[in-house]
Amino acid sequence: GVDDPAVAAAVRAYVKLMRAQRSVVARLEPALAACALTLTQLGVLEAVLHLGPLTHGELGRKLLTSQGNLADVVNKLEKRGLVCRVRAAQDRRQVRVELSDAGRVLIAQVFPRHAADIAAAMAGLDAAELAVLEGLLRKLGREAGVASVVAAH
């Protein structure tokens, strides 16, 4: 057991956060699997759709995934003809991931359904609760990020 009440409360909240995340993901994955997509692959397609062409580094920061995993994900999407890698004209070392026409069509079909599935998974919370949750998660992400930077030094 943990003797410190603050530590025990943090562990309980963490376990609930992880269980909730797994429950939501379990509701989302089957529809994506039917399209032969993983959550990370969908994340790449969605990020490039909404933000435009992105480098691997930009995608990694946006999706919170490792460069190794991201390279594998982009390779698989590229093999399916959903994205392409394009070298920047001004700096040939810089490579951006762009949607292909097929990728644009697929994400346009899949994303609205995915967004509706997210809403259905979150339907147990009303608008006010969702706003509070969003604020708390933003704060947690910021504070945890600061703590990890401090711990690294």
Side-chain angles (χ1 to χ4, degrees):
V2 176
D3 294 331
D4 184 338
V7 171
V11 169
R12 284 192 309 274
Y14 172 81
V15 168
K16 287 174 178 60
L17 176 65
M18 292 297 100
R19 284 184 180 153
Q21 184 266 350
R22 286 186 190 114
S23 294
V24 171
V25 167
R27 287 190 63 163
L28 302 177
E29 286 181 329
L32 292 178
C35 301
L37 289 172
T38 66
L39 275 169
T40 306
Q41 289 171 336
L42 178 80
V44 168
L45 296 174
E46 185 271 332
V48 175
L49 174 69
H50 290 114
L51 300 174
L54 298 168
T55 66
H56 278 241
E58 292 165 337
L59 278 167
R61 286 188 295 280
K62 175 77 176 153
L63 301 175
L64 304 176
T65 190
S66 72
Q67 290 298 314
N69 182 51
L70 185 62
D72 184 53
V73 168
V74 172
N75 285 341
K76 288 177 180 171
L77 291 171
E78 190 172 39
K79 282 180 186 163
R80 288 182 59 191
L82 300 175
V83 299
C84 54
R85 291 179 169 105
V86 178
R87 291 203 177 273
Q90 63 275 30
D91 182 352
R92 302 290 298 159
R93 296 169 297 178
Q94 191 176 68
V95 177
R96 294 197 174 275
V97 177
E98 297 182 0
L99 284 177
S100 67
D101 290 341
R104 193 170 303 285
V105 167
L106 180 65
I107 191 66
Q109 292 171 345
V110 171
F111 190 75
R113 167 68 192 273
H114 182 67
D117 289 345
I118 291 171
M122 307 284 279
L125 302 176
D126 65 29
E129 290 169 325
L130 285 171
V132 169
L133 178 61
E134 184 179 348
L136 290 171
L137 292 172
R138 184 180 301 114
K139 180 178 180 180
L140 176 62
R142 247 192 337 263
E143 296 298 322
V146 168
S148 68
V149 169
V150 170
H153 294 300

